[in-house]
Amino acid sequence: MADRRRTTVQLAHPLYGEALRADIPTVRRRDLLLQQVEQFQSHGGRRRDDALHIATWQLAATGTADPDMLVQAATLARYARDYPHVVTLLQALSDDHHTTESRVLLGKSHFELGDFAEAEDAFAQAEALAADEGQRLAVVMERTQSLFWSAARTREVSTRPH
């Protein structure tokens, strides 16, 4: 697929990619990922989703990535509603690089995945990092929604008309 000066090739089915990756030795896969990162960065990585690709490749190759890039990539993944990817990216951040906002984003992603205990943990950490009343209020609002839905007895609700 051509997008201005960039051509993207996609496999017909994700399982083909899994099969191909399984045959590539770990060191070679790491080298390929790092070459791809270098190529994107050498051309500026200016497109909206480039941060998501670069952070994902760096994380897969080395187990770490630039903290700012991880947060930017997680935000992009959140807008795509790719919550498992958001969690993976934000869990790669060290504790000293997390902010109130990154912890809230992590909590919201766990909430969307139905991982309410993990969401509560992330919101509690976000509240501890909150620097002012505005941040605390934002955390409390998200945390309240999560706690409400995690405690809701949705399975007991009758679907029959009354």
Side-chain angles (χ1 to χ4, degrees), residues 1 24 39 43 53 98 105 121 127 159:
M1 171 174 61
I24 300 174
Q39 186 175 20
H43 294 301
H53 295 302
H98 268 286
L105 181 56
D121 184 50
E127 191 170 1
T159 57

Side-chain angles (χ1 to χ4, degrees), residues 48-128:
R48 180 177 34 122
D49 59 347
D50 285 353
L52 181 59
H53 295 302
I54 291 169
T56 300
W57 295 331
Q58 283 180 328
L59 195 56
T62 65
T64 188
D66 175 67
D68 293 333
M69 181 84 63
L70 285 169
V71 172
Q72 185 180 359
T75 302
L76 290 169
R78 187 260 179 246
Y79 287 125
R81 299 183 195 277
D82 186 357
Y83 300 111
H85 203 170
V86 174
V87 170
T88 299
L89 291 164
L90 291 178
Q91 286 179 334
L93 278 176
S94 62
D95 285 341
D96 57 327
H97 284 104
H98 268 286
T99 63
T100 303
E101 293 80 11
S102 68
R103 290 286 185 191
V104 167
L105 181 56
L106 182 59
K108 288 166 74 171
S109 297
H110 278 302
F111 168 78
E112 291 292 340
L113 292 169
D115 300 330
F116 299 120
E118 288 86 356
E120 173 57 21
D121 184 50
F123 289 132
Q125 292 176 19
E127 191 170 1

Side-chain angles (χ1 to χ4, degrees), residues 5 25 42:
R5 296 185 315 181
S42 70

Side-chain angles (χ1 to χ4, degrees), residues 26-62:
T26 303
V27 173
R28 177 70 178 136
R29 186 176 334 132
R30 181 181 182 275
D31 289 343
L32 288 170
L33 289 167
L34 291 176
Q35 285 173 13
Q36 192 70 11
V37 167
E38 185 179 317
Q39 186 175 20
F40 264 59
Q41 288 177 331
S42 70
H43 294 301
R46 296 179 301 260
R47 297 208 180 157
R48 180 177 34 122
D49 59 347
D50 285 353
L52 181 59
H53 295 302
I54 291 169
T56 300
W57 295 331
Q58 283 180 328
L59 195 56
T62 65

